[in-house]
């Protein structure tokens, strides 16, 4: 465990250094960017090592994996504070109840149906991000740009949800920085369409492109491989 903690602490330091450098190049402060460590396929022990090394935000892609992992993480932490847990993958409506119980924020709401499913199960106020996709892939999750204002308008009417901003994944077949610039512009469009709502979060950038995302205004980066190493093979 000592070696694991040292290894992940070094990786966190390297990523934070990259964030700081990119932020300063963009005329921003490093403190403006939140680091979310995405622990998909990695163990609870690895997550705890990262938390003890200073990681305060943890993301998971699948509800089932979070349900198995998070209780172990909390138990291992003992009395130490838990991180903020983010659901960063596609959420099926039938998993909404579990998601509300497991996560502090759902970062990939990609339809009114998902928002309504969450709203029916929220007892207080659940922060969410609306996922937008600016690529051409028809099967990729995310609200399309021409539907965004209407979709967000309907989601804002769902009781129990608080829309904090946008999330995106850069298209695989395009220039990431161009995509990130488009999403930043879409956030500005939403701010004009709904002036009473503060769309403060722009979650853009993963291990391969987070430096470019910061240049285009990202306030959160979702880093998996660069912190935890390659994803592990899942059992069948």
């Amino acid at each position: 465990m000592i070696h694991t903690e040292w290894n992940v602490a070094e990786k966190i330091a390297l990523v934070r250094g990259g964030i700081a450098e990119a932020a300063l190049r963009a005329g921003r402060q490093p403190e403006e960017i939140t680091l979310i460590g995405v622990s998909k396929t990695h163990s609870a022990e690895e997550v705890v090592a990262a938390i003890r090394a200073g990681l305060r935000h943890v993301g998971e892609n699948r509800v089932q994996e979070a349900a198995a992992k998070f209780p172990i993480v909390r138990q291992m932490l003992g009395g130490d504070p838990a991180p903020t847990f983010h659901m960063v993958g596609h959420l099926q409506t039938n998993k909404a109840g579990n998601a509300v119980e497991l996560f502090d924020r759902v970062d990939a709401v990609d339809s009114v149906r998902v928002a309504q499913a969450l709203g029916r199960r929220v007892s207080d106020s659940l922060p969410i991000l609306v996922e937008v996709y600016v690529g051409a892939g028809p099967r990729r999750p995310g609200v399309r740009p021409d539907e965004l204002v209407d979709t967000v308008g309907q989601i804002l009417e769902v009781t129990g949800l608080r829309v904090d901003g946008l999330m995106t994944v850069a298209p695989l077949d395009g220039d990431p920085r161009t995509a990130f610039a488009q999403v930043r512009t879409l956030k500005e469009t939403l701010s004009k369409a709904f002036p009473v709502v503060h769309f403060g979060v722009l979650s853009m950038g993963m291990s391969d492109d987070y430096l470019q995302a910061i240049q285009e205004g990202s306030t959160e980066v979702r880093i998996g491989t660069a912190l935890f190493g390659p994803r592990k093979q899942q059992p069948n």
Side-chain angles (χ1 to χ4, degrees):
M1 177 63 73
I2 293 175
H3 175 72
T4 300
E5 289 183 359
W6 175 86
N7 190 41
V8 75
E10 183 183 57
K11 290 178 178 178
I12 288 172
L14 286 171
V15 171
R16 289 198 189 281
I19 290 171
E21 185 178 342
L24 293 172
R25 280 203 311 269
R28 305 173 62 197
Q29 294 301 311
E31 295 77 17
E32 296 176 25
I33 295 102
T34 298
L35 171 61
I36 301 174
V38 180
S39 60
K40 181 179 181 181
T41 76
H42 294 278
S43 68
E45 289 78 9
E46 291 170 282
V47 174
V48 171
I51 294 167
R52 288 179 173 156
L55 187 68
R56 298 308 311 150
H57 294 261
V58 173
E60 276 293 339
N61 292 66
R62 298 171 67 242
V63 170
Q64 302 96 309
E65 186 171 349
K69 188 184 301 182
F70 289 176
I72 299 172
V73 170
R74 292 183 186 278
Q75 183 179 28
M76 291 181 68
L77 287 173
D80 294 337
T84 299
F85 288 117
H86 299 252
M87 173 65 183
V88 299
H90 174 69
L91 178 64
Q92 297 173 312
T93 55
N94 63 347
K95 300 291 196 324
N98 298 106
V100 167
E101 294 177 1
L102 289 164
F103 295 96
D104 300 298
R105 197 177 75 194
V106 177
D107 292 4
V109 174
D110 59 3
S111 71
V112 176
R113 286 181 65 249
V114 169
Q116 291 171 337
L118 289 169
R120 286 193 293 270
R121 292 160 176 85
V122 172
S123 58
D124 195 359
S125 176
L126 177 69
I128 67 166
L129 302 182
V130 176
E131 181 176 5
V132 60
Y133 182 66
V134 297
R139 296 188 178 181
R140 295 291 297 273
V143 182
R144 273 32 183 186
D146 60 346
E147 301 172 346
L148 185 61
V149 171
D150 180 61
T151 299
V152 170
Q154 294 182 65
I155 291 174
L156 289 171
E157 296 176 357
V158 178
T159 302
L161 303 186
R162 186 186 78 216
V163 180
D164 281 351
L166 296 179
M167 183 269 257
T168 197
V169 177
L172 297 175
D173 56 352
D175 173 52
R177 184 158 181 177
T178 299
F180 297 144
Q182 286 179 263
V183 177
R184 173 173 46 79
T185 300
L186 288 170
K187 185 174 84 78
E188 294 166 357
T189 299
L190 288 177
S191 295
K192 293 176 182 176
F194 307 101
V196 299
V197 180
H198 179 57
F199 299 98
V201 177
L202 199 52
S203 180
M204 307 190 300
M206 298 189 292
S207 291
D208 291 336
D209 54 25
Y210 72 96
L211 300 178
Q212 296 161 287
I214 291 169
Q215 293 288 308
E216 293 300 333
S218 176
T219 66
E220 292 184 352
V221 294
R222 308 180 307 277
I223 308 299
T225 303
L227 291 184
F228 294 102
R231 289 178 178 176
K232 298 177 180 178
Q233 186 172 359
Q234 297 275 55
N236 294 327

